[in-house]
Amino acid sequence: MTRRRTFLMTGILLLGAFGAVHAQTDEIIVFKTPSCGCCGGWVAHLRENGFKVKVQDVESTADYQKKHGVPNALRSCHTAIVAGYTIEGHVPASEIQRLLKERPKSAKGLAVPGMPIGSPGMAMGDRRDAYAVLLFDAAGKTTVYRQYAAR
């Protein structure tokens, strides 16, 4: 019986260690300017959805967008990095969670170009403009990852 208990406890410890490593890997680092209020709203949205977020206020996000491969046409007001992927703009936490679950090898990241009203961090009551979350690769090719309808 003690051998069985030892085996069970070892399994539990290994699962716990894997979970800790996985959680660390999925920390999101957000590069934003100090004065951007909508970026703060997006960070709050991520935290409300279980993400550990590290914020780095920077003078300009342009260097980070370039460094992390965000095509000019996809740029927005903040850039984030999670598990080797680049997240640009007001991407919903659910789409980031999906990306981390699926882990598509050809993907560089996700983007919501511009600042669509009703996207996370861009709330204006119940209004939401239609917008798309785009999956992009290292060459800048995009596909629609999810479409959000206006309401």
Side-chain angles (χ1 to χ4, degrees):
M1 193 61 111
T2 22
R3 183 179 268 176
R4 186 179 201 181
R5 179 179 278 169
T6 302
F7 181 73
L8 180 62
M9 291 305 291
T10 302
I12 290 171
L13 288 172
L14 286 173
L15 283 174
F18 174 76
V21 168
H22 184 68
Q24 283 179 333
T25 303
D26 292 345
E27 175 184 61
I28 297 180
I29 302 170
V30 178
F31 302 97
K32 67 173 206 60
T33 58
S35 61
C36 188
C38 67
C39 296
W42 185 68
V43 167
H45 165 75
L46 294 177
R47 288 181 173 142
E48 289 165 5
N49 284 278
F51 284 101
K52 181 178 178 186
V53 183
K54 179 179 178 184
V55 175
Q56 291 191 9
D57 285 330
V58 297
E59 245 182 78
S60 169
T61 58
D63 290 340
Y64 297 91
Q65 292 164 331
K66 185 176 180 180
K67 177 182 177 182
H68 295 289
V70 180
N72 288 338
L74 302 183
R75 293 185 178 181
S76 186
C77 59
H78 55 263
T79 302
I81 305 303
V82 60
Y85 292 105
T86 302
I87 308 299
E88 180 68 17
H90 295 267
V91 177
S94 60
E95 304 315 320
I96 300 169
Q97 290 163 341
R98 177 180 159 204
L99 177 75
L100 294 175
K101 182 179 178 185
E102 295 175 354
R103 298 200 187 257
K105 292 184 192 297
S106 64
K108 179 72 178 162
L110 296 175
V112 171
M115 300 166 67
I117 293 172
S119 61
M122 293 295 297
M124 287 191 93
D126 289 336
R127 179 180 160 197
R128 180 175 71 200
D129 292 346
Y131 70 94
V133 176
L134 303 175
L135 182 77
F136 65 97
D137 65 16
K141 181 182 173 201
T142 62
T143 56
V144 175
Y145 199 62
R146 179 157 181 208
Q147 183 71 45
Y148 285 82
R151 64 168 187 225

